[in-house]
Amino acid sequence: MKTIWFLPLVFLYFGLFSFGYCKNVSARPAVVNVGALFTLDSTIGRVAKIAIEEAVKDVNSNSSILHGTKLNITMQSSNCSGFIGMVEALRFMETDIVAIIGPQCSTVAHIVSYVSNELQVPLLSFGVTDPTLSSLQYPFFVRTTQSDSFQMTAVAEMVSYYGWKAVSVIFVDNEYGRNGVSALNDKLAERRCRISYKSGIPPESGVNTGYVMDLLVKVALMESRVIVLHVSPSLGFQVFSVAKYLGMMGNGYVWIATDWLAYMLDSASLPSDTLESMQGVLVLRQHIPESDRKKNFLSRWKNLTGGSLGMNSYGLYAYDSVWLLAHAIESFFNQGGKISFSNDSRLKTMEGGNLHLGAMSIFDDGMLLLGNILQSNLVGLTGPLKFNSDRSLIHAAYDIINVIGTGFRMIGYWSNYSGLSKEPPETLYAQPFNRSSTIQHLHSVIWPGETLSKPRGWVFPNNGKLLKIGVPNRASYREFVSKVRGSDMFQGFCIDVFTAAVNLLPYAVPYQFVAFGDGHKNPSYTQLVDSITTGVFDAVVGDITIVTNRTKIVDFSQPYAASGLVVVVPFRKLNTGAWAFLRPFSPLMWTVTACFFVVVGIVVWILEHRINDEFRGPPKRQVITILWFSLSTLFFAHKENTVSTLGRLVLIIWLFVVLIINSSYTASLTSILTVQQLYSPINGIESLRKSDDPIGYQEGSFAEYYLSQELNISKSRLVALRTPEDYAKALKDGPGKGGVAAVVDERPYVELFLSSQCSFRIVGQEFTKSGWGFAFPRDSPLAVDLSSAILELAENGDLQRIHDKWLMKSSCSLENAELESDRLHLSSFWGLFLICGVACFIALVIYFLQIMQQLCKSAPSDSISSEPGSTRSRRLQRFLSLMDGKEDITKNKSKRTKVEGPSFHGDRDEDFGRSSKRRATDLATGSNIN
């Protein structure tokens, strides 16, 4: 009985032990089957085949990985055919493979990815660069090379770096070509560049030369001279050969080839005639950092191939893909993964026929293997093998090479971290992130035509079409632009500036002027500019004001004339009249000045009254003395002497104030009496806004929009005026007779108007700052070149000569006249009055402190009185007595004499004599009013 119970326990124990051991060690199979699907007879395929075989040998011979399990690679060729690729993928699924290395072509990848998703077999593609193969749609597709999204970003940054705005694109018309061009279009748009023309070439081999020639002729007729070539190698060489024959590899052209040309340059020795047809081409190549492992492998590669086949970046990525998969399988086994397959129930319902669909099975732990692939973190021949959140390899970078002679030279690098640079990207990863345009640099390039001068990148389309340039057909101010009656020609200041600027361009500009407007009234300039965006005109020339809302839809050239809105008003002359002498000061100024005369007189009287006989006497006499003294200081004719130090201090400051006021008054009055004065109730845009008077503006001008939208002036107050004669009549009539109070217009028009109308003037300052320019479509290169030409016209003086030819008028003086009397206001003198007032206040404070000191010294004599009211009354009387009484200067001087000593006896006797005489005089005249 015990034996019966023991046997099941032993069986259970060994069963559990066996199960655990199988999951960790014995579950590892002796062989893991892996498929490889690419085009074996292509340049990439031949290199990849050898690289994959060598990688499998290295993995199987390395005891530190897979621990006895061997990789078995089965290779099939798809010939870049979607149908053949699908068939070969299905054949792989019958052999219980755990992953597929490949495919090489985008067309095959799109199809095989569907099979891979259903059967959960990861695809590790070392050659597919199509950016539309996203992880969301194809979760089992893993790209082990760089996406064309990065390559097209590099192309776009190169175009932007050299200042080109448009490119033409020639591409192979399949998933690889179309999706790459789509990515390029997005990247160019981010940098305000665009694809101006694109043309596809059928992917089938055997495209005849005539087809390619017709395509290139169309490209040559386009505006852009920057051509991006994104094709297969066979088509690319054919395009270069025909372009050489057509002269499209010479001066002025720019050719940028994607990495298809780079791996051909690395892998094979090209014929001399092929290299001759590609001189000056810029090529992008996937950047592989230098390392000892890479050098050793390249040395080993030469021994394997005998130098007949060069290694390219795709071969290195194929080698690293095998190692990436081997490490992922190792992690898969370490996590308990088991290679097992199960049938798809959906395929059972389709059994029948000879398709053998039941032989295909789902890899049960395919998701686990995929996770280990995406979490890989190792260093291969190509650098770090690590994926970011977008399932792209980190540190995407490209070499930028220039085909020269029988080889090429490196001119720089591009990486998604540092952008364009002369330094290898791996040296910049440790530095702080900086994509500033100031550090984006490349070495010099030898362009097609063997020139170092950067091509302009565009020409006018050589298709026989002329630029349609819209010109406003004005009814007024025809000096600026006007149509010659009876012809299609235009003349005027703006036309001459444009013609002179075009003549300075280093190339011919075929154009024709097209009138906009009927000539009976000024057209709407806003509609004229909008015609560029709708394609009616290729440019607009005329007196076009550069304003914000227009710059949002078109590009303007450098301003060739300064402009700004100003206010024009009528004026009247101011006669001097009998009371002109009152006009220099404003009423407030007169009032404050008169008050200060009285105040200063009173302050000086207070300071001098006790010690100066000239400020003493009967009350009537003292009042007259105060008034006379203060007013006489205006002419510095005061005869009263000041004795006290404080009084002299106040008087000195006051005389300085009087000097300034007197001088200013004299200057202002002289100006009023000798210079003709003009007057207008409106002195600028602010006073015009606050009024309710009507305002005139030029018909068709942007002034209406600015006044109504920016300044919030009611449109009911705005009156449209057509001609200068309408201006004059409306201003003369004024608001009372149906006219306007002022006209708001741009300064060039106003200056021309005032040259013949002397009854009006500009008031205030320009309240907008703008200019006139020529309008072009957004990102037009002609706007940049014309701006340079306009600057050259300004520097050599031609612009001023054109201005003088059309706009120089001398029939009416334009000298500025003041529209407001030069009246002096208190704000100009309040500082002087403040100083004088402070001096008076300080002097009075010191004086009263002295009085209070003397009052306190005599206080003990009041102690005999016992009545508090009597004491306050006597103190008040004593204070008034001290204020009014004359101070005995003799006593003070005698005290000072005693202190000073015998050496001053002579002075003391002399002062004593003077005091005696002055006291005798006081007794005789009764000047002491106590």
Side-chain angles (χ1 to χ4, degrees), residues 8-272:
L9 291 174
V10 171
F11 178 79
L12 180 61
Y13 171 79
F14 282 103
L16 290 174
F17 179 81
S18 300
F19 177 77
Y21 182 79
C22 180
K23 289 291 288 183
N24 290 279
V25 179
S26 63
R28 291 174 180 260
V31 176
V32 175
N33 293 319
V34 178
L37 183 64
F38 49 91
T39 304
L40 295 175
D41 60 350
S42 66
T43 301
I44 293 178
R46 288 192 291 270
V47 173
K49 180 177 181 297
I50 301 175
I52 291 175
E53 290 173 347
E54 291 302 309
V56 171
K57 291 180 183 178
D58 293 344
V59 169
N60 290 336
S61 62
N62 193 327
S63 60
S64 64
I65 190 171
L66 294 183
H67 303 290
T69 300
K70 304 296 182 181
L71 289 182
N72 178 36
I73 297 287
T74 303
M75 299 186 185
Q76 299 291 346
S77 179
S78 65
N79 293 324
C80 283
S81 167
F83 176 73
I84 295 177
M86 179 184 64
V87 172
E88 295 297 342
L90 294 176
R91 291 177 59 187
F92 276 142
M93 300 308 172
E94 296 177 347
T95 59
D96 294 340
I97 62 170
V98 298
I100 297 177
I101 297 178
Q104 172 188 337
C105 302
S106 299
T107 303
V108 178
H110 278 275
I111 296 175
V112 174
S113 292
Y114 287 108
V115 178
S116 175
N117 290 347
E118 294 298 326
L119 302 181
Q120 298 186 11
V121 176
L123 295 177
L124 283 76
S125 176
F126 61 87
V128 174
T129 58
D130 183 355
T132 63
L133 286 164
S134 66
S135 58
L136 296 178
Q137 185 178 5
Y138 307 107
F140 279 84
F141 175 83
V142 180
R143 195 195 318 271
T144 57
T145 186
Q146 300 297 343
S147 168
D148 272 346
S149 175
F150 297 115
Q151 181 172 212
M152 296 310 170
T153 303
V155 173
E157 290 201 14
M158 290 170 59
V159 171
S160 177
Y161 170 76
Y162 287 112
W164 302 316
K165 294 297 183 181
V167 300
S168 297
V169 180
I170 300 174
F171 62 96
V172 59
D173 196 7
N174 57 14
E175 286 83 355
Y176 162 74
R178 287 192 301 269
N179 296 332
V181 171
S182 177
L184 176 61
N185 187 58
D186 294 339
K187 301 303 180 181
L188 288 172
E190 292 175 3
R191 292 156 181 82
R192 291 191 62 181
C193 303
R194 61 189 176 89
I195 297 176
S196 60
Y197 179 78
K198 58 183 177 181
S199 181
I201 301 178
E204 294 82 8
S205 59
V207 176
N208 58 57
T209 303
Y211 181 91
V212 176
M213 185 173 294
D214 292 341
L215 183 149
L216 289 178
V217 168
K218 293 179 181 178
V219 172
L221 294 176
M222 297 297 109
E223 175 182 306
S224 175
R225 283 292 182 265
V226 181
I227 303 171
V228 178
L229 193 58
H230 187 54
V231 293
S232 60
S234 59
L235 292 176
F237 293 138
Q238 190 174 6
V239 169
F240 281 132
S241 177
V242 177
K244 177 73 173 178
Y245 173 78
L246 295 176
M248 296 176 66
M249 300 301 297
N251 287 335
Y253 282 90
V254 178
W255 288 84
I256 301 175
T258 52
D259 62 350
W260 65 267
L261 180 54
Y263 69 72
M264 290 301 298
L265 291 172
D266 290 336
S267 303
S269 178
L270 300 178
S272 59

Side-chain angles (χ1 to χ4, degrees), residues 340-355:
S340 61
F341 298 86
S342 58
N343 293 328
D344 191 344
S345 59
R346 294 172 297 178
L347 297 178
K348 292 182 179 180
T349 60
M350 301 179 183
E351 289 183 355
N354 299 320
L355 292 180

Side-chain angles (χ1 to χ4, degrees), residues 568-715:
V568 180
V569 298
F571 67 91
R572 62 183 177 86
K573 298 179 181 179
L574 290 176
N575 297 322
T576 55
W579 300 98
F581 69 91
L582 295 176
R583 285 170 54 193
F585 287 167
S586 64
L588 181 59
M589 180 66 180
W590 277 116
T591 303
V592 174
T593 303
C595 292
F596 257 84
F597 271 107
V598 176
V599 169
V600 171
I602 294 174
V603 171
V604 173
W605 177 83
I606 293 174
L607 299 176
E608 296 290 325
H609 174 66
R610 299 182 62 242
I611 60 176
N612 193 337
D613 294 336
E614 295 180 355
F615 288 88
R616 299 184 65 81
K620 180 178 180 181
R621 178 185 172 185
Q622 294 186 48
V623 172
I624 294 174
T625 300
I626 291 173
L627 296 177
W628 168 253
F629 175 81
S630 60
L631 293 176
S632 62
T633 56
L634 178 63
F635 309 101
F636 305 98
H638 52 287
K639 64 179 182 179
E640 293 81 8
N641 294 321
T642 53
V643 177
S644 67
T645 302
L646 295 176
R648 289 175 178 178
L649 176 63
V650 171
L651 184 60
I652 289 173
I653 296 175
W654 173 244
L655 290 177
F656 177 74
V657 174
V658 169
L659 175 64
I660 301 300
I661 293 175
N662 195 5
S663 302
S664 302
Y665 176 85
T666 303
S668 180
L669 183 61
T670 302
S671 174
I672 292 173
L673 295 177
T674 58
V675 179
Q676 176 179 280
Q677 299 294 306
L678 307 177
Y679 172 76
S680 171
I682 298 172
N683 53 25
I685 187 62
E686 288 301 324
S687 60
L688 190 60
R689 287 179 60 188
K690 294 175 181 178
S691 68
D692 294 327
D693 296 330
I695 304 171
Y697 68 93
Q698 184 182 168
E699 185 180 42
S701 169
F702 86 100
E704 179 190 13
Y705 171 84
Y706 188 86
L707 293 173
S708 60
Q709 301 298 323
E710 300 295 334
L711 301 183
N712 297 320
I713 296 176
S714 174
K715 288 188 177 182

